Amino acid sequence: VQLQASGGGLVQPGDSLRLSCAASGGTFRTYTMGWFRQAPGKEREFVAAIHRSAGITLYADSVKGRFTISRDNAKNTVYLQMNSLKPEDTAVYYCAARGGLIASQLSGIKTPDYWGQGTQVTVSS
C-alpha cells in the first residue's frame, strides 16, 4: 500500500487546515487509517484513527474537539480536518494504515503496517 499525504502549509493560530492522504495498491476499505505527527526534537505521536467501517474513531487528548478524521472509501482517501490550530500543532504529519483491526482494537493503529510520507504543518503568527 502506498500512502500520499498532502494539504500541509503555513497558517496562523486559530486557522483551519485539511490534510488528505490518498492510498493506492491495496484494498483501502479493509484498512484502519491513522494520522501521526512529529514535531522538531520530539518523537512521533499518535493523532487520530478511523476504523475501516468509518463508524469508530479515536483521538489523542491534545486534539480532541478540534480535529476530525474521516474517510471516503470510494476515493481511497482519509482526511484530517484541523480547526482552531495552535502553534503546538506545528509538526510533520504522517498518515498510516493497518489491516486486520476490529473496532475494539483501534489503538492497534499505533503500530501500523504502512506509512506515508509526511506533510509539514506550521502554525505561526
Side-chain angles (χ1 to χ4, degrees):
V1 174
Q2 291 78 47
L3 304 173
Q4 181 75 36
S6 62
L10 172 63
V11 297
Q12 295 186 342
D15 283 354
S16 297
L17 203 59
R18 189 177 80 157
L19 305 182
S20 300
C21 175
S24 61
T27 308
F28 178 77
R29 66 180 184 278
T30 68
Y31 288 95
T32 291
M33 301 298 297
W35 287 96
F36 295 75
R37 67 186 181 186
Q38 187 167 20
K42 295 187 177 181
E43 293 186 354
R44 190 175 301 188
E45 65 175 1
F46 167 77
V47 174
I50 186 166
H51 190 250
R52 61 182 185 267
S53 69
I56 304 295
T57 57
L58 181 68
Y59 295 93
D61 287 344
S62 59
V63 306
K64 203 172 293 184
R66 299 188 298 123
F67 290 11
T68 302
I69 189 170
S70 62
R71 66 190 294 161
D72 186 336
N73 286 345
K75 295 183 178 179
N76 290 353
T77 301
V78 62
Y79 305 97
L80 186 68
Q81 177 68 42
M82 305 184 293
N83 298 330
S84 302
L85 282 161
K86 304 175 181 180
E88 51 264 44
D89 295 318
T90 295
V92 178
Y93 283 71
Y94 300 88
C95 58
R98 178 163 172 179
L101 294 178
I102 61 176
S104 60
Q105 297 175 327
L106 207 55
S107 60
I109 188 61
K110 297 177 183 179
T111 52
D113 297 323
Y114 305 99
W115 288 102
Q117 98 296 349
T119 185
Q120 176 72 46
V121 173
T122 303
V123 185
S124 175
S125 54

